[in-house]
Amino acid sequence: DAEITQSPRHKITETGRQVTLACHQTWNHNNMFWYRQDLGHGLRLIHYSYGVQDTNKGEVSDGYSVSRSNTEDLPLTLESAASSQTSVYFCASSDGQGPQETQYFGPGTRLLVL
Amino acid sequence: AQSVTQPDIHITVSEGASLELRCNYSYGATPYLFWYVQSPGQGLQLLLKYFSGDTLVQGIKGFEAEFKRSQSSFNLRKPSVHWSDAAEYFCAVAQLNSGNTPLVFGKGTRLSVIA
């Protein structure tokens, strides 16, 4: 069955380190998204991509970067991890054109920055 | 700016009772509206969505939602709640030509179900 996976599921790192969170989907969806979920804030969009070589900044993109070299993967990199980036990170994908399409979410990565 | 408000942070209902979760949005044009559910420790799953047409939308797991343009609302309902419905529920609005926020989520409502 097609799916969307995230790795690692849990990560502990130290401030200042570079961290990369992986997201892989087998639906061949054009659109991929990264969100962070924090208590009291719901889900906030970090970056998104509408196709290979396309990336766009979301609401809370500072300190994060993404690259889209193929359809299946959208890795999220924290250039220099900060304690404020402790959060649960969700990757999602969707098909079709634009934000009205249903998004399918991965299981999440829980990141702790010490 | 476009926004989604879920006024209730936490709701507790008895098993078998009816449920209504509130959602209000702020958006100039006709919105695309969604309800997602998140079970503990898991990602989000779509319950239902509204684009146009019939304002009463049926979803999975016995949920429905009604779009009321005059009230800028898209409330989620279920006639009889089951213990397995305990989860966090998110309302979201899609914005076309939106700049950097293609899908905006509310902050969520946590549903607890008691016997």
Side-chain angles (χ1 to χ4, degrees), chain A residues 98-101, chain B residues 1-5 23-35 48-55 57 65-75 91-98 101-105:
Chain A
Q100 71 275 17
E101 302 295 334
Chain B
Q2 289 79 5
S3 65
V4 177
T5 302
C23 172
N24 293 97
Y25 65 90
S26 169
Y27 185 54
T30 300
Y32 293 167
L33 294 159
F34 303 77
W35 274 100
L48 47 79
K49 59 186 178 182
Y50 170 78
F51 291 168
S52 64
D54 192 347
T55 56
V57 181
E66 186 172 13
F67 170 60
K68 293 185 177 180
R69 184 187 301 277
S70 62
Q71 298 178 19
S72 297
S73 69
F74 188 57
N75 294 348
C91 183
V93 60
Q95 311 173 84
L96 299 183
N97 305 315
S98 61
T101 54
L103 188 64
V104 176
F105 284 86

Side-chain angles (χ1 to χ4, degrees), chain A residues 26 51 56 62 64 82 110:
Chain A
T26 59
N56 306 278
D62 286 349
Y64 303 94
R110 189 174 295 271

